[in-house]
Amino acid sequence: MSVTKEIKRVTTNSLQEMKRRGEKIAMLTAYDYSMATIVDESGMDIILVGDSASNVMAGHETTLPITLDQMIYHAQSVVRAAKRALVIVDLPFGSYQGNSKEALNSAIRIMKEAGAHGVKIEGGVEIAESVTRILTAGIPVMGHLGLTPQSIYKFGTYTVRAKEENEAQKLREDALKLQELGCFGIVLEKIPAKLAKEVTESISIPTIGIGAGKHCDGQVLVIHDMLGINKGFKPRFLRQYSNLNQLMNAAFKSYIADVKAKNFPNHTEQY
Ligand code: KIV
């Protein structure tokens, strides 16, 4: 008799329950099969196929250039790997701003072609119609407020958002609106910890913070940043759990040295 342990998938409902019982939610980005396999096996609750792929996978300066087709390609690879984690995929810039029908079509492509479990979309009341339309199709939606990188040319800088009262008030209202529309969660990016705490306590859906302090219901980081792959990217909010840049560099140098010294392959490494 084979004893296979059934893996229970994290769902949007289990995330709500986690908030209710005070269990923090761990979310991390991934963009390819191999990384996503390791992330999923670690017990991560949510894997985000973020449009940060535009930066860390493709080398663009911003998240704006990545296309819907490219996001779907990354998402397909991640979905193949994820057995337990909930896989959420960013709607990229230009795939939802036109109108709510375009937003719905983009979300449907992500669900149908990649097999994702939900989408994330940047913005508040301005995108209410699109959020509603996507939700009406039965697609779970996660909001994203605060620093919304797709609007970087409007902000002009990646500094902390909502420090001023008028912007903080808009964020509070946006969070309530997204909850009212039916979003299952909201990413809060780079806002004061005090405001994130207030918003987290004012809504019943989970908030996931990045640079938004410890009171959010969960945390998210970009995998390349937390593994220390990106040399020199060390914003205050980032905790580096490894220094893969150094480790990989040392491995590559050893390999080069072995090849040059005719040390690789040796007699046990050949046929
Ligand atoms: O694209 C991304 O990685 C994100 C996270 C920073 C939340 O949106």
Side-chain angles (χ1 to χ4, degrees), residues 5 8 22 68 81 125 130 149 157 196 221 227 236-237 247-248 257:
K5 205 166 159 240
K8 208 160 167 244
L68 182 59
V125 288
S130 295
T157 152
L221 286 175
L227 289 177
R236 180 161 155 182
F237 70 81
L247 291 173
M248 289 169 81

Side-chain angles (χ1 to χ4, degrees), residues 249-259:
N249 196 270
F252 300 152
K253 286 204 165 107
S254 298
Y255 168 66
I256 294 168
D258 285 350
V259 170

Side-chain angles (χ1 to χ4, degrees), residues 87-104:
V87 180
I88 301 301
V89 181
D90 266 336
L91 280 180
F93 178 70
S95 73
Y96 62 92
Q97 288 91 345
N99 57 56
S100 62
K101 186 161 183 263
E102 186 185 15
L104 175 62

Side-chain angles (χ1 to χ4, degrees), residues 76-226:
Q76 286 168 335
S77 312
V78 170
V79 167
R80 266 177 230 126
K83 307 284 179 269
R84 177 186 175 274
L86 187 77
V87 180
I88 301 301
V89 181
D90 266 336
L91 280 180
F93 178 70
S95 73
Y96 62 92
Q97 288 91 345
N99 57 56
S100 62
K101 186 161 183 263
E102 186 185 15
L104 175 62
N105 287 340
S106 301
I108 286 177
R109 281 199 63 200
I110 286 174
M111 300 300 282
K112 216 180 171 81
E113 295 176 39
H117 309 134
V119 298
K120 177 164 80 59
I121 181 165
E122 293 185 6
V125 288
E126 327 72 62
I127 55 155
E129 196 186 314
S130 295
V131 170
T132 303
R133 200 145 178 192
I134 297 170
L135 284 164
T136 310
I139 300 171
V141 177
M142 178 172 239
H144 185 153
L145 300 172
L147 176 65
T148 45
Q150 291 177 13
S151 307
I152 187 58
Y153 290 114
K154 187 174 106 189
F155 298 147
T157 152
Y158 285 100
T159 55
V160 181
R161 305 301 315 172
K163 285 206 308 208
E164 305 301 330
E165 181 47 33
N166 58 345
E167 200 182 333
Q169 185 50 28
K170 170 151 181 8
L171 193 141
R172 288 183 197 103
E173 287 163 15
D174 282 344
L176 284 172
K177 185 71 183 174
L178 291 175
Q179 164 170 267
E180 185 190 308
L181 294 174
C183 287
F184 73 88
I186 304 174
V187 165
L188 298 177
E189 181 164 354
K190 251 186 158 180
I191 62 169
K194 190 164 166 275
L195 176 63
K197 179 174 189 286
E198 199 190 311
V199 170
T200 299
E201 287 169 357
S202 73
I203 57 179
S204 60
I205 56 172
T207 60
I208 311 288
I210 174 164
K214 66 176 185 181
H215 298 289
C216 295
D217 298 304
Q219 298 293 327
V220 57
L221 286 175
V222 169
I223 191 164
H224 289 64
D225 301 341
M226 67 92 80

